[in-house]
Amino acid sequence: MTQKLLLESASPLVPGKTRTRTRRASARRRPRPRGMITLSVALLALVVAVSWAIAPALFAPGDPTAGSLADALQAPSAAHVFGTDATGRDVYTRVVHGAAYTLFSALCAVTLGMVAGTLLGLLAGAGPRWLDSTLMRLVDVLLSIPGLLLSLSVIILLGFGLFQIALAVAITSVAAFARLVRGEVLRIRSADFVEAAHASGGTFAGVLFRHILPNSLSPVFAMAALQFGTAILAISALGFLGYGAPPPAPEWGLMIAEGRDYVATAWWLTTIPGVIVVVVVLATHRLSSAISERSSR
C-alpha cells in the first residue's frame, strides 16, 4: 500500500509536457522579433552614418561650406532635403560631411581609451597587489571627476583641435575600460585552464597574453560600442560649447550651436542635426546590448 501511494504521488514524466517545456525553453533562447527589428534598424543607422563619414562626396557632392544668401533659411523641400541655414548652405550636405568630423573623432577617442584602459586593467589584475592598489586609486580619481569637466580641462591645457578633443574624450573613458578589464582578469586568472597553462610550464607573459587577455575581451568590445556613443555625445557637446572644430566646419555639435538663434523661425537647423546625433547614439547603445547578450550566452 505504501509503495502504491508513493507511485501515485510522484509526478511522472509525461512526453507531451516535456516537449512543451523544451519548446518554451527554446523560445526563450531565440531572439525576440522586436529585438531583431530594433537591432536591424540600429545596424542600418550605423552603416549609413559610417558611409557618410567614409565617402561623403558620394551622398552629398556639394560643398558643405558654400552657400548663397538668396537661399538662406529655406525650409526642407525637394531642392534642399534638410533645408538651408542662415548663409544659404545646404543642411543635408553639412550633416553628411560632418559625420567625418564627429565619428572619426569618436573612433579615435574610443580606440585610445580602450587600448590604454585595457593595459591598465591588465596590469592591475595580473600584477602584484601594490601595483593593483596604485592603479585602482588612479582610476578612482578619474571616475570621481565629471567627464565633461575633465575633457574641458584637458582641452584648455592642450589647445583646440580634433586631435585634442579626441584625446580629451579618450582620457575620460580610460577608467571605465581599466575597471572592467581588471575585473575580467581577476575572474579568469583563477580558472582551471589558466592554472593548467601555468602547470604545463607556461610563462607569466605567455599565459597572460595567450589565455587571460583573449578571454577578457568580449565585454570590452561591448563597452567600446557603448563608449562610442558616449564619445559622440561628448564631442558634440564640446563642439556646441565652441571647443571643437572651428567654423565653418560642418561638425554636428557646431551646427546645433549655430542654429540655436533661429529655433523659433528655422527649427530644422537644430532639430535635424540633433536627431541625427540621438539616432546614432541609440544605435551604438543597441549594438552594445547585442554584443553583451551574445557574449553572455
Side-chain angles (χ1 to χ4, degrees):
M1 178 66 71
T2 305
Q3 184 177 5
K4 183 178 180 181
L5 290 175
L6 289 174
L7 290 174
E8 290 177 355
S9 61
S11 58
L13 295 176
V14 182
K17 293 183 179 180
T18 304
R19 286 196 297 269
T20 302
R21 286 195 294 267
T22 304
R23 284 196 296 267
R24 289 175 181 175
S26 61
R28 284 195 297 267
R29 286 194 296 268
R30 293 195 205 103
R32 283 178 282 185
R34 181 178 298 179
M36 292 299 297
I37 293 173
T38 306
L39 180 59
S40 301
V41 173
L43 289 175
L44 178 61
L46 287 177
V47 168
V48 171
V50 172
S51 301
W52 286 355
I54 294 175
L58 293 178
F59 301 92
D63 186 357
T65 61
S68 174
L69 292 177
D71 299 329
L73 298 180
Q74 290 190 5
S77 62
H80 302 282
V81 180
F82 289 171
T84 60
D85 62 6
T87 58
R89 296 173 297 191
D90 186 69
V91 176
Y92 170 74
T93 303
R94 289 179 61 78
V95 166
V96 172
H97 286 262
Y101 289 88
T102 304
L103 296 187
F104 282 155
S105 298
L107 180 62
C108 292
V110 172
T111 303
L112 292 174
M114 182 175 63
V115 172
T118 300
L119 291 177
L120 287 178
L122 194 63
L123 291 175
R129 183 170 297 180
W130 65 267
L131 182 61
D132 181 18
S133 178
T134 302
L135 292 178
M136 285 301 101
R137 297 299 76 75
L138 176 62
V139 168
D140 291 339
V141 171
L142 290 177
L143 290 175
S144 65
I145 303 174
L148 185 59
L149 178 60
L150 182 59
S151 299
L152 289 174
S153 302
V154 174
I155 291 175
I156 291 172
L157 292 175
L158 299 180
F160 301 95
L162 290 178
F163 176 76
Q164 287 83 352
I165 195 173
L167 182 59
V169 176
I171 292 175
T172 63
S173 64
V174 168
F177 282 108
R179 185 173 289 276
L180 175 65
V181 173
R182 173 184 177 269
E184 289 296 311
V185 170
L186 291 176
R187 180 180 64 85
I188 294 174
R189 66 181 296 185
S190 59
D192 294 337
F193 69 91
V194 175
E195 296 179 359
H198 282 296
S200 61
T203 61
F204 174 78
V207 173
L208 184 63
F209 290 101
R210 188 175 301 174
H211 299 283
I212 296 179
L213 181 60
N215 289 280
S216 305
L217 291 181
S218 294
V220 174
F221 292 143
M223 174 68 77
L226 184 64
Q227 288 293 328
F228 184 70
T230 305
I232 292 174
L233 279 179
I235 291 170
S236 300
L238 292 172
F240 180 84
L241 296 174
Y243 294 99
E251 198 271 326
W252 289 347
L254 181 61
M255 292 178 62
I256 298 173
E258 291 175 344
R260 59 185 171 181
D261 295 332
Y262 303 94
V263 173
T265 57
W267 56 268
W268 56 90
L269 296 182
T270 55
T271 302
I272 293 178
V275 169
I276 296 295
V277 171
V278 171
V279 168
V280 174
V281 171
L282 291 178
T284 58
H285 287 190
R286 182 63 188 91
L287 180 61
S288 173
S289 301
I291 297 174
S292 299
E293 293 171 1
R294 185 177 182 84
S295 61
S296 62
R297 289 177 185 175

